[in-house]
Amino acid sequence: MSHLSRKNLRLLLLTILAVTCILVLKYSNFIPFNIGSIRLPESTIGGVFSGTLSLICILLVFVDYKNGFKIALVLNLISSGNLIFGMIMTYIHTKILARAIVSMPGVVTNIVSLITLVTIFFFYSKLSVSNMTDYITGQGNRRNYVKEVNEHIESKKSFTLACIELEDFKHTVDLYGIQAGDFLLKTAAEKLKSILNKKDKLFRITGSTFAIIFEPGESPEERLKNVINAENVIIPFDSDDDSTTETTCILSLCAGIVYSHPPYNYTKTASTVLRDAETALTSTRNMSENKICIYNENMENSELKQREAEFLVKEGLKKNYFYLVYQPQFSTDEKTLRGFETLIRCRKQDCSIVSPDSFIPAAEKSNLIMKIDEFVLKTAMTEFKPVLEKSDLDLTISINVSAKTMCSKNFSSKMKSLIDELHFPAEKLEIEITEYSFAESVDTTISNIKTLHEMGVHIAIDDFGTGYTSIKQLMTLPINLLKIDKSLIDDIETSQNMRDIVDSVIYMGHIMNCEVISEGVEKEDQLDILREHKCDFIQGFVWGKPMDFEDAKTLCQQEEF
């Protein structure tokens, strides 16, 4: 036996003990059992070992209710057969019924033991089904999944694991309630069951996540394509007056796939295989259609970097690794100081500097970006409030806010609380958002913009022209500033096409009653062109690099720049 687990070892030892008891019972009349000068009666010996055998059989079922029950049943039947055969042979040879039925208590003990074994077996069978089944969908649960995958790995079987997720499930539950969520889970389970072969198995892992173990055969990817496409489903609701109401909801699925073939790495477990599938699943969230992704090792490296960056952010917020720098913004014509854009930086305890490019994208993939936004807002407003009070300049503090924060329902109320808490002048604050914010949740984002405007806060659109929203939509919003991306400025002095594009963006901004600022201005030639095209403000190395707070405060005290 190449692999003997602890459970199998226990079964083997108990089986050996049980066989020993059976042999003792069979040949007890040939084996002398003495305590000193006293010889133990054969009936006493039989009773002790018969009871011991019954106990061992029960223990076998407790160790493994399936295989243990089969072994215990065979042992019990062999023991009963020996006793009954012995009774029959005794009667044939002696014709004395009293002597023949001496073994009757052992037979009764075996019958009681058999009834106990069957009772325990059915109890465990029912309990096992309950413990291994998801009560909403009736499919296997996470415990069942772990068992099946580990068995495949231990027996070195090839299989394919698909991890499937219901998109927008939490939003649907928040909007329509738990009843709607349960209905969607059942509907999704039925769709997934329709593509399974006889040996394939479906599990609900947790929440809105399913897993399928595909046995070798037809391509799982091709089969999943049949159920991944979004479709409208009607959700029924039972009312108190016995009537049924309905609502329409979109059922959309996405899937990550892992192909697993022996020989297996010793680190492979059910959890690691599922993690790989979930890594592939994460990649599908950036797909617009056919949301199926097959796992590869490059994804694992990307996932590792993501986890490391998330750990850095969590540790940085706790241990004060983060600090702010401020890049000045100037008017193009007279070089008067408009204000500062707030930028976050990270310095670890060993004084090494970590680029924002290393942790901001990772934070944006999780809710950690919202904690970073909260830190930047509070820190910048706290630092600059005294500066604004003492300065005679009309300054604006511009703070970047992520799409996730901007589309959160309570953002505007949090901003009002923060402004009131710090007594910060709202008209001196500018919230800078990207057009991508409108791709997250249009209605909530627009509502937050309007509420912030009513509070006196200015709104700036960064990376203008990336195409996530229409000009018509922007013209209906209280936008104060459009920011031209650095990528459009880089070649402005050498490319006529770029000059024309920048000129069009500036003109468009003025038509929308917005001021326009160009970022990333590094050369005097670029500055001259922007001045010629009537760009209102510039920001870049040509007039000012990002500086720490003390230098920014000193700059505010200068009369000329």
Side-chain angles (χ1 to χ4, degrees):
M1 186 179 294
S2 59
H3 179 73
L4 191 63
S5 65
R6 291 184 179 181
K7 182 171 69 175
N8 291 336
L9 183 61
R10 292 190 191 104
L11 288 176
L12 180 61
L13 292 175
L14 288 172
T15 302
I16 292 172
L17 289 174
V19 171
T20 303
C21 289
I22 291 173
L23 292 174
V24 170
L25 288 170
K26 182 174 180 62
Y27 300 105
S28 58
N29 54 335
F30 301 107
I31 304 173
F33 285 90
N34 300 323
I35 299 178
S37 59
I38 303 173
R39 177 181 174 82
L40 295 178
E42 184 181 333
S43 58
T44 301
I45 298 169
V48 171
F49 281 93
S50 181
T52 303
L53 177 63
S54 298
L55 177 61
I56 291 172
C57 288
I58 292 172
L59 291 175
L60 282 166
V61 182
F62 278 120
V63 171
D64 184 341
Y65 84 93
K66 287 184 177 178
N67 295 325
F69 174 74
K70 293 175 183 177
I71 296 170
L73 185 62
V74 171
L75 293 171
N76 189 281
L77 292 176
I78 291 173
S79 176
S80 299
N82 285 336
L83 289 171
I84 294 172
F85 179 76
M87 290 170 60
I88 294 172
M89 294 305 294
T90 299
Y91 181 73
I92 290 173
H93 288 102
T94 64
K95 301 296 182 181
I96 302 173
L97 184 60
R99 183 174 293 182
I101 63 174
V102 168
S103 300
M104 183 59 70
V107 175
V108 173
T109 301
N110 282 357
I111 294 173
V112 172
S113 175
L114 181 61
I115 295 172
T116 304
L117 293 176
V118 172
T119 303
I120 295 173
F121 172 77
F122 280 108
F123 171 77
Y124 266 100
S125 298
K126 189 174 181 180
L127 185 63
S128 177
V129 170
S130 176
N131 287 339
M132 295 290 186
T133 305
D134 174 59
Y135 72 98
I136 294 177
T137 62
Q139 303 304 309
N141 58 14
R142 188 184 183 93
R143 185 182 288 109
N144 199 339
Y145 157 79
V146 171
K147 170 180 164 293
E148 290 291 338
V149 173
N150 283 337
E151 285 180 358
H152 277 70
I153 292 174
E154 287 177 7
S155 57
K156 300 188 183 304
K157 292 181 180 178
S158 296
F159 68 97
T160 302
L161 178 71
C163 186
I164 301 107
E165 182 179 64
L166 274 73
E167 294 187 303
D168 296 325
F169 179 75
K170 185 178 184 303
H171 176 72
T172 303
V173 172
D174 291 342
L175 195 62
Y176 299 113
I178 295 176
Q179 181 182 348
D182 290 350
F183 180 83
L184 286 181
L185 290 172
K186 292 175 183 176
T187 305
E190 290 299 322
K191 285 186 69 174
L192 295 172
K193 278 174 61 180
S194 67
I195 64 169
L196 302 185
N197 291 332
K198 289 183 179 180
K199 293 184 178 181
D200 300 334
K201 294 182 179 178
L202 172 64
F203 311 89
R204 180 186 169 216
I205 301 298
T206 181
S208 62
T209 304
F210 291 85
I212 299 177
I213 296 178
F214 291 101
E215 299 296 338
E218 184 184 350
S219 169
E221 186 179 357
E222 292 301 320
R223 284 191 273 168
L224 282 168
K225 284 180 181 178
N226 298 325
V227 294
I228 288 299
N229 296 330
E231 65 172 282
N232 289 322
V233 295
I234 297 175
I235 303 175
F237 293 94
D238 295 328
S239 303
D240 295 335
D241 56 0
D242 294 332
S243 62
T244 300
T245 58
E246 296 178 346
T247 188
T248 302
C249 180
I250 296 177
L251 177 62
S252 179
L253 301 173
C254 51
I257 299 175
V258 175
Y259 288 95
S260 296
H261 303 289
Y264 291 108
N265 187 303
Y266 70 94
T267 60
K268 283 287 183 183
T269 64
S271 297
T272 56
V273 175
L274 181 62
R275 184 195 66 199
D276 293 344
E278 288 177 337
T279 299
L281 179 64
T282 302
S283 300
T284 65
R285 290 165 189 163
N286 298 322
M287 300 177 179
S288 57
E289 57 184 18
N290 191 24
K291 296 189 173 184
I292 299 175
C293 185
I294 298 174
Y295 172 80
N296 61 61
E297 290 184 358
N298 292 332
M299 291 180 182
E300 184 174 357
N301 295 332
S302 175
E303 184 69 15
L304 179 60
K305 290 180 180 178
Q306 173 72 21
R307 291 197 298 270
E308 288 176 348
E310 288 180 6
F311 177 78
L312 172 66
V313 172
K314 292 176 183 177
E315 187 178 39
L317 289 169
K318 187 183 297 183
K319 298 183 178 180
N320 298 320
Y321 292 172
F322 295 114
Y323 64 99
L324 302 182
V325 295
Y326 302 90
Q327 185 166 29
Q329 300 171 335
F330 296 94
S331 64
T332 309
D333 290 334
E334 300 177 358
K335 197 182 178 181
T336 55
L337 184 63
R338 175 185 185 264
F340 298 87
E341 179 185 3
T342 307
L343 304 170
I344 190 168
R345 296 290 185 264
C346 177
R347 183 188 293 112
K348 298 172 72 173
Q349 287 179 328
D350 60 3
C351 294
S352 60
I353 301 297
V354 182
S355 168
D357 293 338
S358 300
F359 61 85
I360 291 296
E364 286 177 338
K365 292 181 181 179
S366 67
N367 289 331
L368 289 173
I369 192 63
M370 300 176 75
K371 293 185 179 295
I372 290 179
D373 288 340
E374 185 179 340
F375 166 81
V376 174
L377 283 164
K378 190 165 187 176
T379 304
M381 291 167 68
T382 302
E383 287 184 343
F384 258 93
K385 180 180 178 292
V387 177
L388 295 174
E389 290 174 345
K390 294 178 181 178
S391 177
D392 295 331
L393 299 175
D394 183 18
L395 299 176
T396 299
I397 302 304
S398 183
I399 302 175
N400 291 278
V401 170
S402 68
K404 278 195 174 181
T405 297
M406 197 63 200
C407 73
S408 59
K409 293 182 179 180
N410 59 351
F411 175 60
S412 55
S413 61
K414 280 187 175 181
M415 281 303 306
K416 185 178 186 312
S417 299
L418 187 58
I419 289 171
D420 291 343
E421 176 189 342
L422 300 177
H423 301 289
F424 192 91
E427 67 277 4
K428 303 289 187 180
L429 178 64
E430 183 174 79
I431 298 298
E432 191 173 312
I433 64 174
T434 64
E435 286 189 75
Y436 181 67
S437 299
F438 296 93
E440 288 285 310
S441 178
V442 177
D443 294 339
T444 307
T445 299
I446 291 175
S447 174
N448 282 330
I449 289 174
K450 290 180 177 178
T451 304
L452 290 170
H453 175 74
E454 291 170 1
M455 292 160 51
V457 178
H458 292 189
I459 303 294
I461 299 293
D462 195 8
D463 301 334
F464 181 66
T466 52
Y468 282 104
T469 187
S470 65
I471 301 299
K472 181 179 178 181
Q473 186 179 56
L474 286 178
M475 291 185 71
T476 63
L477 297 175
I479 305 298
N480 303 97
L481 183 76
L482 294 184
K483 199 166 191 179
I484 302 177
D485 189 68
K486 182 182 183 299
S487 61
L488 299 179
I489 305 299
D490 287 340
D491 300 322
I492 193 174
E493 75 271 28
T494 59
S495 171
Q496 181 61 47
N497 289 336
M498 279 300 176
R499 285 199 293 273
D500 291 340
I501 290 172
V502 170
D503 183 51
S504 299
V505 172
I506 295 171
Y507 179 71
M508 197 180 304
H510 290 158
I511 288 178
M512 295 165 58
N513 294 320
C514 295
E515 293 180 307
V516 179
I517 184 170
S518 293
E519 66 176 349
V521 183
E522 299 178 351
K523 304 173 185 177
E524 289 289 344
D525 290 342
Q526 295 173 338
L527 178 61
D528 291 339
I529 294 171
L530 291 168
R531 187 182 287 123
E532 180 185 339
H533 289 294
K534 295 181 171 42
C535 183
D536 301 294
F537 306 103
I538 69 102
Q539 170 185 334
F541 286 10
V542 67
W543 275 351
K545 296 181 179 181
M547 56 188 69
D548 62 29
F549 173 65
E550 290 300 324
D551 290 339
K553 187 167 65 172
T554 302
L555 185 65
C556 294
Q557 297 168 356
Q558 293 181 205
E559 295 183 1
E560 295 183 0
F561 307 98

